[in-house]
Amino acid sequence: MSYNLPCVLMRGGTSRGPFFLADWLPQNTAQRDRTLIAALGSPHELQIDGLGGGNSLTSKVAIVSRSVHSDCDVDYLFAQVSVDEARVDTRPNCGNMLAGVGPFAIEQGLVPASTTGDVTRVRVYNVNTRSRIDVQVQTRGGRVHYEGDVHIDGVQGTAAPVLMNFLDAWGAVTGQIFPTGQRIDTIHGLPVTCIDAAQVMVLVRAADLGLRGDETPAELDADTALLARLEALRCEAGLRMGMGDVSDSVLPKPVIVSEGTAPGSITSRYFTPRRCHRSHAVTGAIGVAAAMVLPGTVATDTRTAPSAGTRRVEVLHPAGRIHVDVELALVDGHCTLVQAALVRTARKILEGTLFVAHHTLEPHD
């Protein structure tokens, strides 16, 4: 016997996973999470009995519904499903999967496609971080248009652009952009920046860890002493940020930063949190870019003075680069974040019925 439910498998940015309307899933949270775990095929290193790909980047879920907020069109709940544990975390956001939310919402009839132009605006409320994002989707003739000439590093080929403008993701999880009240803290002898800007992260300089900063994910993942050090750093940062015991959460994310190859660029190695991302999280790129343009952090670009206006930051990651446009305003003599925008792409891979074995829906020990 199997439990059947509709499902759309999509690539969003450099991530991939099933997209569901909230009505398709059990309304009880525990039952919903068991369904997601079974759907992805966890816990198993290969997720051989589900849709997961044996990697955190392909073990993600987007749950979409008509918004309960008057200034938004849809609500988007992101779920990170652990590969090797029967665990679902809905505390973080995922900006890569967000790239698929607009197209999915239009195709599911939650948002009508524009009939007056080639772009449809979808106002998204991210439930995880209680923040708003304006998403612009390419549409033609009342349908989503996936084909285009935009290439993003980490994905082969090209596709239509999806412009995402993050409006108020600053301090969305902890209540402050710098949750500890400091722009630099010392944790286990290391200067770090704890930041909540689209993603909750703890940033540490590569040089302070004895690294160059441009190491490959394989090199970093093979350094067990480094991983243990980052995990200890992350857990202490979580406590100082008011998040309590984060040992079973993916937040905050540890990020190793170093100077980029040119003015306006920064090199980043983003962890998910116990493995190095093969490219980079979108929300993480926004947070790194924010830390770079704001003064007084471990990532601050000392080559350029902070100023009001929009700055383009190039976040260099293992698969290439992400361009983030960060807008700052001058308030009482201090630079503050206004919004951040960047371009991703998305593609619908498969649409149909997902069959989940009943035995996998039983509670795990």
Side-chain angles (χ1 to χ4, degrees), residues 249-301:
S249 173
V250 298
L251 295 181
K253 302 293 181 76
V255 183
I256 300 173
V257 294
S258 56
E259 193 171 88
T261 56
S265 69
I266 184 169
T267 300
S268 177
R269 293 296 182 263
Y270 179 93
F271 287 75
T272 64
R274 296 173 183 87
R275 295 178 65 184
C276 183
H277 202 299
R278 267 47 189 167
S279 54
H280 207 287
V282 165
T283 49
I286 291 173
V288 169
M292 179 179 171
V293 300
L294 290 171
T297 79
V298 297
T300 296
D301 183 5

Side-chain angles (χ1 to χ4, degrees), residues 106 112-120 137-145:
I106 293 169
S114 173
T115 58
T116 59
D118 293 338
V119 175
T120 298
V137 180
Q138 301 295 306
T139 51
R140 295 181 187 174
R143 300 172 63 89
V144 174
H145 189 70

Side-chain angles (χ1 to χ4, degrees), residues 136-157:
Q136 295 183 21
V137 180
Q138 301 295 306
T139 51
R140 295 181 187 174
R143 300 172 63 89
V144 174
H145 189 70
Y146 289 103
E147 302 299 320
D149 58 5
V150 172
H151 170 77
I152 61 172
D153 291 332
V155 179
Q156 68 268 40

